[in-house]
């Protein structure tokens, strides 16, 4: 099960991974996203355009590229957390895990008994990874597929310890945009807001202390070094629309500049 | 018909336009492509992944962005040249126009009688542009939608004058990759090949001499200045996969560099 | 943010709007629906065929037509209420809001803190409306996007006052078909049932009394005047299959009649 | 093969049929179109949005509705004429049949040897119609599936007799819009143009004289009686966007009028 | 309403039905699945690739084939249980019904008042079945569409009696794979596990004792006889990927064997 | 370029390959087809449901499975022959190659200069195969991608020698169904027709004599041994609908038989 094991193993070994962020629910586009310089891809179903069908149809492009695939489900769509794994995802991010109950329900959808109550049926994903033999998958799946709980409100931060202690939660994924709205009482949207940085660092510290994983969304590449210093080891950067905009702007700029010079 | 008239008017007025190049047949992706810094978009059905259905479904995103939309049809798919216009395209590029017959057949598909034999039925495109009244469209369509004949072989170059003289052909679009294969007798693929540059410049000169338009594919932004100096006024640069790759590489590079420094 | 503000502003200013009702999850069809004489479009995910993907892909056609777009989500799909706004919808209708808890959960998904807990990520929708600058959107979104709670059971009617008082609920949307089943104890389906009309009028009165909005589904155009007199200002009429059937029947009838006369 | 035989049999028996016209390439929409009061449906690939895939996916809705399905292919897409039959169409309309060569090529794609050169492979269509046994289909297909050649230019009109005499051409389909452009030398688009009406009547007369079928596009229902009097027995009216627009306008008008009265 | 009534009537009359199992969310594929020798088709949204849109688009192929259509929804997607019926399904299977609350919520989504709270809006499905007149559908729908609760954990087995007694639950559907994981405390995946067979038989006995229906997933055809002897009357066998694999393997084997012999 | 070279190399080395035949234009279905016991897959655009878009979207599933992918284009769609290669196909089959002109036009679309006139643009396919460096692809593509001309009429058989001698035609693909119609003068469809078998053997002999490849469609696996003895080395068997039907029939039969025994 070599292709399946890598994301969990690499993160647990302390490797720092940079992830592309995909909002566009199209398999041909995903071929391009999976071919970029990023180490992994997050397929976003919460604010991005992905849906059940696009997860099914886009995962093969990421798997073919030899990269781990991570799915962020919409708020409360724990049915889809299981489905994402069934279709071949390596990890799932669940947004707005604000209560212990949320964390437990998420973990239950992600882990087979006795840890959770994930229902059996990984046929599609196993075929995509060339895995045969359900028994061996049953024995390794709970360890090899990752559940990331999003910490992005004051309530969640207040119980971050307890969320991290839930059996079946493998790590946290911090959402700095929502966190800034929460931190400012609804007044500001600023994922780089200074006065919440200490709390963000604290979340990584709590996770590390428990031997769990820390991940975060990075609004731009510049902030990654700071997050890494805090202990974050999986950082998802910007979004594929921004990669395209940046690349195009650079090319248009270069062409226009050269033409101006003549 | 303000939205319809701009590409033809701007090019005829001598403006230099840089075009994005789209290979991915998906409307949501097209929203991102249309939002980049490029002036226009080419939707490629020849080597790119676009097909009849994706042209229909992607054009609204370009039109909504207020940019001209250009469709390159596959070799000999003149039926689709008409359809692209019907769906709302501003211009069509036809590849491998190697004979006068090719040029005439292309022109016939692009222009209403008496210039050509384009069949009436622009309902979808007119609705998309808010145009009502077929009669006024009939009266301006031949002038306002553009037919670009690709010159990309030695045979085509040899009769470039005649192709340009065909009524209904509004300009040439040069394909430097195929031209390099042709120029080297099938031995080299190099769109920047030095010894064919004079011929490429000559094509623009011939077009300009006849009051027709010159366009070209630019493998990278650096070459655009040279093409512009030759007389090219519409340059399509790279492809959306390359914009994404470039933007992602820059971000990954920046993040990795910052993390290394610590 | 002119394109975003109109639905909320127009309804609050007392304008009466008639809405098309779309059940067909296809963007090209949506171009036709958005071009009809209706003022707005409801995209129905509950009983209609719309799904997450079709909302993403159909909203641009409504936005391009310059009309407000309203999404009805399936029962309990509050994750999709947020997503609909993220994709560019102006308003969301949630069916079967039968308890205060339902109303609060719906409001939480629709409104940013401190009113609710809507998660940040409107990138797709803002791009579609040409809005830049997240901060300004954060400041106006709660006021400019509308949450309509459906009142369509006896339980809901009994607590209509309380539902309307929930912070973040902008108005009610009455479902007369379900209401008639409820009113008749499961015995009759009749959206025009006489003996429930007083209650329907009462709901509008309660909303108006609180300065909130009243909307309703109208099974046919004839009933609209009655609803308007009750205070309803947004009426969604029939469905696009019925528009097509009616238009076709009229044309077939006219042709057959003329041919009979000969 | 009862479901297959009806269109050819009914038209040859002299029945007058009114056809819906579909431009929207979506199977769910097609369910609505097929359910209207029209007798048959034309799926338009020339100026409408249909493509190879939508023909494959939309035909079942028409077949399920118990109505004949007719496909108009793009100019020169004779490969698709065969494919439409393979997918289950009852008839194909080919536009711009301007030469005898065009007519022969079209017929060759439509009819099995020895009449033409249609290639064997109707598996998908036969399954859809519940037909088993290829041999019986081979024996009836040439008679039961119909090839309509479009007459819509002066050249075509000049040789209409010869086109009609081509073995394998079952009838003509007149395109009055293109015919008006042709008739006016490119100056006018008016499918109801008076001075071409005699020619249009003449085409029907020629077909009738040869025992072949006459069909025509009717821009509105009012003109159908005139066409029927000329001998036309299959008339395709307007388009599904117009049915929807008409039905919606009637409903909005009725609602607005009632509300005004109060 | 003949096409609608058959599954419920046949199962209640004691007929034993074998069902195909579909994981592939594509309407053209569904035509092939519906044409196989199976009596019915289950469209799986839990572990299979089906989603809201594919249920909408695939049901017509099953209905056209004259076979009952059954939809399995994802865990907790009771909104989709209603939608599946609205789109024309004959029955819905809900996985992981582990509490009485689960069973009641499922029943509420499946049955109109006063039994449950299913919301009115079956327009799409009625059109597909040629049913007109909502009132008659309201009167028969609760009896003619079936709700199957999945029993597949120890908790569910412990309260199987109570689940079966819930008004609106028409029968059980046993998931032997999950049941084996549950039975073995998470240690084994083996849908044919011997020591749980008695319990599986007991579930059917409980259902039969209450006059309710028993259904089960059969990992292979060989086990069906045992299940039937236990009282199961609806057995869903393998999956369409396995039918294809088996058929292809047989053909490749036959060809290779014949070639070896020479 | 290891993944690209195998089909040509294996066939030229004399290996006998059995190919699956795909008519269903869906990538998820293609994952199942590519996973069957067959050595390769033919994606059929002529009589099957594949189209430009499905070729683009389905090829990755075949490539991921490590199997060669072959595309049959519709009659005369030579533009698509080039496109299939651009998207990553290993070979193309062109139907109804009845004249030397047909063969030359097909070869021209398949081979780069100086052999043919294939236009440069294999970006999508090279990315899918992990090939970088256009120059090396240019140097091997003509040898490593295969052009199969279909011989399936008396005219084609009469000039089979000449067709095989066309530079750029790598082999023949025989269509026995059309050949039987041709052989019987349009009277019989029987791909196993005895009296044409000698001619079919003769075609393989002619190809072998010229060092070119022989391929054929096999209506069932039993006939493969005979074809192999004639010299055919690539045999495409039945279709994926038949694999599914056969596998399902076997399972239903087994279950029914076991239940009957009790
Ligand atoms: Mg967030
Ligand atoms: Mg080129
Ligand atoms: Mg309702
Ligand atoms: Mg015409
Ligand atoms: Mg289960
Ligand atoms: Mg053939």
């Amino acid at each position: 099960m070599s292709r399946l094991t890598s994301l969990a193993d690499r993160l647990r070994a302390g490797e720092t991974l940079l992830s592309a962020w995909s909002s566009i629910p199209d398999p041909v586009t995903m071929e391009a996203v999976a071919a970029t310089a990023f180490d992994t891809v997050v397929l976003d179903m919460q604010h991005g355009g992905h849906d059940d069908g696009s997860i099914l149809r886009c995962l093969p492009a990421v798997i073919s590229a030899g990269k781990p695939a991570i799915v962020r489900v919409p708020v409360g769509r724990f049915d889809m957390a299981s489905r994402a794994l069934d279709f071949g995802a390596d990890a799932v991010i669940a947004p707005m895990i604000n209560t212990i109950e949320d964390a437990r329900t998420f973990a239950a959808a992600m882990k087979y008994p006795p840890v959770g109550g994930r229902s059996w049926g990984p046929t599609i994903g196993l075929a995509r990874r060339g895995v045969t033999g359900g028994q061996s998958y049953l024995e390794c799946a709970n360890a090899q597929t990752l559940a990331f709980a999003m910490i992005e409100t004051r309530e969640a931060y207040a119980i971050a310890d307890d969320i991290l202690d839930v059996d079946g939660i493998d790590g946290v994924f911090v959402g700095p945009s929502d966190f800034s709205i929460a931190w400012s009482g609804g007044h500001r949207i600023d994922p780089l807001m200074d006065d919440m940085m200490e709390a963000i660092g604290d979340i990584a510290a709590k996770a590390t202390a428990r031997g769990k994983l820390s991940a975060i969304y990075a609004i731009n590449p510049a902030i990654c070094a700071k997050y890494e210093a805090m202990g974050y080891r999986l950082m998802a950067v910007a979004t594929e629309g921004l990669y395209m905009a940046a690349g195009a702007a650079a090319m248009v700029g270069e062409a226009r500049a050269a033409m101006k010079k003549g």
Side-chain angles (χ1 to χ4, degrees), chain A residues 12 58 76 89 110 113 134 145 156 182 184 198 202 233:
Chain A
R12 286 180 182 133
C58 290
M110 291 291 290
T145 53
S184 66
E198 191 181 326
D202 188 39
R233 288 296 174 270

Side-chain angles (χ1 to χ4, degrees), chain A residues 200-224:
Chain A
I200 286 178
D202 188 39
I203 296 171
K206 286 178 199 291
T208 306
R210 277 155 183 81
K212 298 218 165 167
L213 304 170
S214 305
I216 193 165
Y217 180 81
I219 194 73
N220 64 39
I223 192 68
C224 288

Side-chain angles (χ1 to χ4, degrees), chain A residues 28-197:
Chain A
V28 179
T29 307
M30 187 57 68
E31 293 184 53
V33 175
T36 62
F38 285 101
D39 303 306
T40 72
V41 182
V42 175
L43 295 82
D44 183 19
M45 296 181 71
Q46 185 193 15
H47 301 298
H50 281 285
D51 55 32
D52 298 41
S54 76
I55 298 303
L56 175 72
R57 292 173 183 278
C58 290
L59 283 173
V62 187
I63 294 170
S64 285
K67 294 188 179 170
I70 305 168
V71 172
R72 181 165 74 173
V73 296
V75 176
R77 283 288 313 277
F78 300 119
D79 66 295
M80 188 62 214
S82 304
R83 274 162 68 75
L85 298 183
D86 286 349
F87 296 165
D90 295 276
V92 173
I93 300 167
M96 290 285 163
I97 300 298
N98 291 332
T99 67
I100 294 301
E101 193 52 37
D102 289 343
R104 286 190 186 131
T105 309
F106 176 40
M110 291 291 290
K111 303 296 175 180
Y112 288 116
V115 177
R118 181 182 168 194
S119 174
W120 183 258
T123 314
I124 293 172
L126 297 193
R128 287 172 169 183
R129 293 178 181 281
V131 177
T132 56
Q135 183 64 32
S136 68
Y137 179 73
L138 177 65
E139 289 167 15
C140 76
N142 283 1
Q144 291 296 332
T145 53
L146 300 175
F148 286 101
M150 286 196 77
I151 305 288
E152 48 185 345
T153 63
R154 283 183 180 270
E155 304 89 287
Y157 177 50
I159 59 166
D161 286 339
D162 301 323
I163 290 172
L164 279 158
D165 283 340
V166 169
D167 198 12
I169 297 296
D170 297 295
V172 291
F173 190 99
V174 174
S177 291
D178 275 317
F179 207 76
S180 73
I181 294 176
W183 210 255
S184 66
H187 287 88
R188 287 180 53 203
I189 165 68
D190 175 6
L192 302 175
M193 188 185 287
D194 253 355
D195 50 340
M196 72 182 181
M197 280 294 171

